[in-house]
Amino acid sequence: MHHREVTFVISGPSGVGKGTICDRLIREMDGVALSVSCATRAPRRLKDGSMETDGVHYHFITPERFEAMIDEGDFYEYACVHSGYYGTSRSFVERQKEAGNDVILEIDMQGALQVKATDPSAVLIFILPPSYEELRRRLVGRQSETPEQVEKRLSDGLGQLAFAYVYDYIVVNDDLDEAVAAVADIIRVSRRRTVNNKKTLDDIKRSFLEVK
Ligand code: 5GP
């Protein structure tokens, strides 16, 4: 049964493990594509000491280029986060859906609300840490931000938590395997929603009518 392609939004405070969960979903599930966002911030150093790669972690572009792309309507959604621009390529989303894939967007709540406004059948998933202390421990542990940046991300995280109430699902990332399994369950069950299977329903109904 082929369902209509679904947009999944994954948000959560910085350091909660969204990236790791998304990487696992892409490796372990068929028919899902992860969007690589455009961003104006500089590439960051990763835990293993290497730098983020252009085209893999983000498409790193200048603020001028980003603003030109806004004017050209190139973004499915975009937002200003941590004083930089981030946005999802409209053509990526369209191409993946044409190819029959569901799309996962790892974006902030400003973007999530834009996506829901344009596509009410989009599914919004908010990843939570087990506690504030655990989130602080993970952010400090990844050693990719200065202490000031850690504090900024933690206080932004508190602001984002207020928006978790408007998401369709929350998943607590305490145990990574369990969190990945929970998001995979949400993806599977969302594919079964009537709103995403109208064509199948219509086809079967038509077969009943044709017999009469
Ligand atoms: P980071 O700089 O830590 O990679 O990402 C900072 C924040 O920007 C995260 O909350 C992340 O989800 C969000 N973000 C990344 N890409 C996009 C995007 O394309 N659109 C929006 N709205 N937010 C994004």
Side-chain angles (χ1 to χ4, degrees):
M1 175 164 113
H2 184 76
H3 62 279
R4 194 186 64 170
E5 294 74 20
V6 187
T7 301
F8 294 96
V9 169
I10 299 201
S11 306
S14 189
V16 79
K18 297 171 300 240
T20 312
I21 291 172
C22 289
D23 288 346
R24 287 270 305 266
L25 291 169
I26 291 303
R27 273 192 275 128
E28 295 169 20
M29 291 191 88
D30 288 332
V32 283
L34 179 64
S35 163
V36 177
S37 297
C38 293
T40 58
R41 71 159 170 76
R44 245 190 346 230
R45 190 168 296 284
L46 298 165
K47 228 177 179 171
D48 66 4
S50 65
M51 295 299 283
E52 285 179 325
T53 309
D54 186 40
V56 175
H57 298 95
Y58 284 106
H59 300 289
F60 293 103
I61 61 175
T62 62
E64 293 72 26
R65 174 84 192 107
F66 200 103
E67 281 161 10
M69 287 177 72
I70 295 174
D71 292 344
E72 286 154 23
D74 288 346
F75 289 116
Y76 184 56
E77 64 71 39
Y78 69 92
C80 196
V81 187
H82 304 310
S83 38
Y85 280 126
Y86 295 82
T88 304
S89 153
R90 183 185 300 286
S91 66
F92 175 84
V93 174
E94 289 173 354
R95 267 186 284 118
Q96 289 300 329
K97 290 196 170 185
E98 274 162 26
N101 291 322
D102 297 321
V103 178
I104 299 180
L105 311 180
E106 189 207 313
I107 63 177
D108 82 322
M109 80 284 169
Q110 302 174 66
L113 298 180
Q114 290 173 47
V115 170
K116 196 74 168 180
T118 43
D119 176 7
S121 70
V123 177
L124 310 189
I125 305 166
F126 198 95
I127 312 291
L128 289 162
S131 67
Y132 174 84
E133 274 315 315
E134 177 58 21
L135 184 62
R136 170 187 286 278
R137 200 187 60 76
R138 289 184 197 173
L139 268 176
V140 171
R142 76 180 186 187
Q143 295 178 338
S144 51
E145 285 95 1
T146 63
E148 294 75 34
Q149 284 168 335
V150 167
E151 291 315 314
K152 167 109 173 69
R153 280 164 188 261
L154 282 169
S155 66
D156 285 356
L158 178 62
Q160 289 190 27
L161 237 55
F163 285 87
Y165 292 92
V166 305
Y167 278 62
D168 298 303
Y169 298 96
I170 58 165
V171 170
V172 177
N173 183 16
D174 191 355
D175 177 87
L176 179 63
D177 287 339
E178 280 176 24
V180 172
V183 178
D185 283 347
I186 294 166
I187 292 177
R188 276 190 284 268
V189 89
S190 300
R191 289 171 166 171
R192 300 259 167 202
R193 293 186 66 203
T194 309
V195 70
N196 298 320
N197 292 282
K198 288 250 171 74
K199 187 174 176 314
T200 301
L201 183 53
D202 286 348
D203 289 349
I204 295 173
K205 193 173 116 203
R206 198 170 311 112
S207 79
F208 273 66
L209 295 172
E210 278 162 6
V211 173
K212 285 198 170 176

